[in-house]
Amino acid sequence: MKKFTGIISPPYSFVPFPGFTVEDTVRAADDFGHIVDSRPLGVFAPPSVAALREFVALAGPQGLPVTARGGGYSVYGQSQAEGGYVVDLGALDEVRCAPTARTLTAGAGARWSEVVRAALAQGLTPPVLPDHLGGSVGGLLSTGGLGGSSHRYGLVADHVRELDVVTGAGELVTCSRERHPDLFDAVLAGLGQCALIVRATLDLVPAPALVRRFRLYHHSPGTFFADQRSLARDDRFSHVCGQARPALGGAWDYMIEAVAPHTGELPGDEPLLTGDLEHDRDTEEIETLSYEEFLRRMDRDERILRTTGEWQRPHPWLTLLLPEEAAPGFVPTVLADHAQSGLRACGVVQLRPLTSRALRAPLLRRPRGELLCLLSLMRTAPPGAPDNVREAVAANRALYERARELGGVLYPTSALPMTGEDWRAHFGPAWEALARAKDRYDPHSVLTRGYGLWA
């Protein structure tokens, strides 16, 4: 095998390579969660797919862990590589739109903001997009990717036409539903266990120029969940999500954000869209936005959080998928739990309806039943309070156990320690297929150990 000069050399010890700095390893030892600190041996920023393939081909036989890093938005060390190498995919960021074919090809290191920019320039958009556009294409597809339109169109990963990946054996493979379908299914929502995504071809659909955004407030969780259930069953809104928000006296109010394409003519169809809902009509908020402005709605929030310092503080987040019928009883008890009291001051509680039939990636685990509810507790820890972070992670574990008793399932982008047995239970009947793909495509078991699937 050809030697990859200056990165790994016999006797397989770390050798600094061009572009490596101590600052790189410090950055790679941290992530958006700021909870787990796991120092890698080094950081490799491949200038090309060929360089990445050669690097992985050498690392595998030596048993050196390799983990891809895109935007660095994992919250519990999932993109770190203790005793191994972090591969910074930032240079693999080319984005090319093919408007005639209604597809877009993006490198794994490309940010979703660049995907949106290129697609909208042709009047197109991916059917599903994440709320925050700062993450990388490869990172999101490895976890599946949920967005405001997931109740209709499923995961971001469900609209991938083709992938180029580098397997744990150092092979460059193009896969799709027709070519190497076992690898394709093992990569999408597969947590980086079998191969590293280097390029993805996405399907696109026509983008609206304008949208009409409704914010509908409820004082009762009962009416909130009933309305979300109604909206998940039909196509009146293209995007539906919600939040629980602190109210006076320790109570919580609930808000549905629903978005529909808009022609730009004078509004007159609001009663058709919301007339059968049970929200408080005195507090509803309705506005018209450009579609791009709506997609970039998180940009302002990010700037504020960076300015206040909250962006740099620990984020012990937990995201669960619940059977919809369990959510109206489960969510209020969670919000009343003293262990979750910090959410009132430093956090966001996100709720969104999902339909099981729309979620197609085999490795995305989901509860039984057709109607589902996503619950995401997006906490920010107080400054200088490590005990609060440990307590929050412990509370995540307790809450996860309670959710499992109701048929709930973890969404893996969470600050939650998981054992190998936990993962086997999580994947259930899909575990054997994943294990077979792992043996075949990552024979040295070096890829993405941060999740701890094989511990």
Side-chain angles (χ1 to χ4, degrees):
M1 182 181 293
K2 181 181 176 182
K3 179 181 173 184
F4 196 77
T5 306
I7 298 177
I8 307 171
S9 61
Y12 309 131
S13 58
F14 167 70
V15 178
F17 49 87
F20 167 79
T21 65
V22 173
E23 288 75 14
D24 287 334
T25 60
V26 171
R27 183 174 63 87
D30 196 12
D31 56 25
F32 181 67
H34 305 304
I35 300 171
V36 175
D37 185 352
S38 181
R39 187 63 60 89
L41 292 177
V43 177
F44 175 47
S48 67
V49 173
L52 173 60
R53 187 210 63 76
E54 191 174 358
F55 177 78
V56 177
L58 283 168
Q62 300 167 38
L64 291 170
V66 175
T67 300
R69 179 187 177 99
Y73 283 102
S74 60
V75 298
Y76 204 66
Q78 293 95 336
S79 63
Q80 297 176 21
E82 177 69 31
Y85 289 86
V86 170
V87 175
D88 186 339
L89 296 176
L92 306 182
D93 62 350
E94 183 182 11
V95 176
R96 291 182 287 105
C97 188
T100 303
R102 288 191 179 177
T103 63
L104 179 145
T105 299
R111 304 304 174 100
W112 286 100
S113 57
E114 288 304 305
V115 170
V116 165
R117 181 194 61 76
L120 289 183
Q122 303 296 331
L124 300 169
T125 182
V128 186
L129 283 163
D131 294 338
H132 180 249
L133 300 178
S136 68
V137 167
L140 189 77
L141 296 181
S142 295
T143 59
L146 290 163
S149 59
S150 288
H151 69 292
R152 290 179 63 178
Y153 300 116
L155 302 170
V156 179
D158 290 331
H159 301 278
V160 174
R161 183 173 296 189
E162 186 176 84
L163 291 171
D164 292 337
V165 303
V166 171
T167 70
E171 298 176 341
L172 177 61
V173 181
T174 299
C175 57
S176 66
R177 291 183 179 87
E178 293 76 34
R179 303 170 62 188
H180 307 289
D182 62 327
L183 180 58
F184 188 72
D185 287 343
V187 171
L188 295 173
L191 310 181
Q193 295 301 303
C194 300
L196 306 181
I197 297 171
V198 295
R199 190 179 297 111
T201 299
L202 312 171
D203 285 322
L204 302 176
V205 297
L210 299 172
V211 296
R212 194 82 165 148
R213 179 166 68 178
F214 298 74
R215 286 177 171 158
L216 312 174
Y217 293 89
H218 298 71
H219 304 298
S220 162
T223 61
F224 168 82
F225 283 108
D227 281 358
Q228 274 213 334
R229 184 185 311 121
S230 176
L231 297 179
R233 283 177 169 154
D234 59 45
D235 295 338
R236 72 182 96 174
F237 289 108
S238 58
H239 295 69
V240 180
C241 58
Q243 291 182 7
R245 295 184 169 185
L248 295 176
W252 291 81
D253 286 337
Y254 297 82
M255 184 271 290
I256 293 175
E257 182 179 67
V259 174
H262 185 52
T263 63
E265 298 176 359
L266 290 175
D269 55 359
E270 277 85 353
L272 297 177
L273 292 171
T274 65
D276 62 336
L277 303 180
E278 299 184 65
H279 62 286
D280 181 355
R281 283 171 170 73
D282 291 333
T283 59
E284 67 182 11
E285 301 171 10
I286 306 172
E287 61 181 334
T288 299
L289 305 169
S290 74
Y291 184 59
E292 182 172 10
E293 184 181 3
F294 167 69
L295 293 181
R296 297 184 181 277
R297 63 196 180 280
M298 300 296 295
D299 291 359
R300 177 178 175 274
D301 293 340
E302 179 178 339
R303 288 194 297 269
I304 292 173
L305 293 174
R306 287 185 182 276
T307 300
T308 62
E310 288 186 60
W311 196 263
Q312 290 75 36
R313 282 155 45 190
H315 300 98
W317 290 5
L318 177 68
T319 301
L320 301 167
L321 297 176
L322 305 169
E324 197 278 336
E325 66 270 14
F330 183 74
V331 171
T333 63
V334 169
L335 299 180
D337 189 341
H338 177 71
Q340 310 299 334
S341 59
L343 285 166
R344 298 185 65 85
C346 295
V348 174
V349 179
Q350 188 178 84
L351 296 159
R352 64 180 60 188
L354 298 169
T355 52
S356 185
R357 67 178 180 276
L359 306 171
R360 301 194 302 273
L363 289 182
L364 190 281
R365 310 316 297 158
R366 69 214 72 174
R368 295 182 182 274
E370 177 58 21
L371 293 177
L372 313 175
C373 175
L374 178 141
L375 167 63
S376 188
L377 306 179
M378 304 165 73
R379 308 178 190 84
T380 300
D387 288 343
N388 292 67
V389 177
R390 287 190 288 268
E391 291 169 2
V393 173
N396 284 351
R397 182 72 203 193
L399 189 54
Y400 171 57
E401 297 292 350
R402 288 168 53 191
R404 284 207 300 183
E405 292 176 0
L406 299 172
V409 173
L410 178 74
Y411 189 66
T413 58
S414 296
L416 180 71
M418 294 277 283
T419 67
E421 287 302 315
D422 287 332
W423 284 116
R424 288 176 178 84
H426 169 82
F427 282 103
W431 176 261
E432 289 188 8
L434 177 59
R436 286 195 301 270
K438 181 75 169 178
D439 288 342
R440 179 177 181 183
Y441 294 108
D442 183 22
H444 308 289
S445 195
V446 295
L447 295 183
T448 320
R449 292 182 181 174
Y451 281 97
L453 266 71
W454 317 100

